[in-house]
């Protein structure tokens, strides 16, 4: 294997789902240093499974299940659900949801429309409207 092929292989591995990669042959002290570094940094937090009652969200793959059944959400609906999951059980204002979900200013009506889409998919009892304040994600 030429150095260029080895480097291309290394870069390919690092672009995938790996956060480190060692080419063989390797020095044992380098491997030990890499292991110490990983232990010091702790586990990667980019993959999490969030649970709120019977609602389960896999943040890495964007999978959502409700009562054990898979639910297909649009990217906007998923972003709205994630914004509500950031404060489960707390009132989240339509203004805050608009800021977190849409990159440009969104109207309260747009938030209301997407809340209705989300209610249809995850169940109307899971999102409670607090008049004049916002929405609460119920367990």
């Amino acid at each position: 294997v030429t150095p260029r092929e080895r480097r291309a292989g290394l870069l390919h591995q690092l672009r995938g789902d790996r956060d480190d990669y060692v080419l063989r042959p390797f020095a044992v002290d380098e491997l030990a240093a890499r292991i110490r570094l990983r232990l010091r940094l702790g586990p990667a937090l980019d993959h999490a499974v969030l649970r709120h009652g019977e609602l389960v969200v896999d943040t890495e793959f964007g999978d959502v299940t409700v009562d054990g059944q898979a639910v297909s959400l649009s990217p906007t609906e998923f972003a709205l659900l994630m914004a509500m999951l950031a404060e489960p059980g707390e009132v989240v204002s339509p203004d805050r949801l608009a800021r977190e979900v849409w990159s440009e200013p969104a109207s309260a009506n747009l938030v209301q429309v997407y809340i209705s889409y989300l209610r249809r998919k995850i169940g109307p009892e899971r999102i409670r409207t607090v008049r004049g304040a916002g929405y609460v994600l119920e367990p």
Side-chain angles (χ1 to χ4, degrees):
V1 178
T2 67
R4 179 174 286 168
E5 290 170 334
R6 291 182 69 191
R7 182 163 172 76
L10 170 66
L11 292 174
H12 175 73
Q13 293 297 326
L14 291 175
R15 286 187 188 121
D17 61 348
R18 292 166 179 79
D19 53 4
D20 199 359
Y21 189 79
V22 178
L23 293 173
R24 290 187 315 198
F26 57 87
V28 175
D29 57 342
E30 177 188 352
L31 179 62
R34 288 175 185 259
I35 291 171
R36 278 194 302 276
L37 177 64
R38 289 301 306 152
L39 290 173
R40 189 174 41 219
L41 293 175
L45 297 176
D46 61 334
H47 180 247
V49 175
L50 304 175
R51 298 178 193 281
H52 188 68
E54 293 300 312
L55 177 70
V56 179
V57 179
D58 184 325
T59 61
E60 182 176 5
F61 298 110
D63 295 333
V64 177
T65 59
V66 177
D67 298 325
Q69 299 294 318
V71 176
S72 177
L73 298 180
S74 72
T76 304
E77 293 164 347
F78 185 80
L80 184 62
L81 179 61
M82 292 303 295
M84 294 186 75
L85 274 170
E87 300 290 332
E90 300 292 324
V91 177
V92 183
S93 72
D95 291 337
R96 180 172 171 199
L97 291 172
R99 279 192 315 272
E100 291 186 21
V101 175
W102 289 273
S103 58
E104 56 205 39
S107 69
N109 185 47
L110 183 62
V111 173
Q112 198 174 28
V113 167
Y114 273 89
I115 287 287
S116 71
Y117 294 160
L118 194 54
R119 278 185 172 135
R120 263 187 252 145
K121 293 183 177 183
I122 68 169
E125 71 284 355
R126 288 193 168 79
I127 301 176
R128 179 172 48 95
T129 301
V130 178
R131 190 176 199 108
Y135 303 96
V136 176
L137 188 62
E138 301 285 356

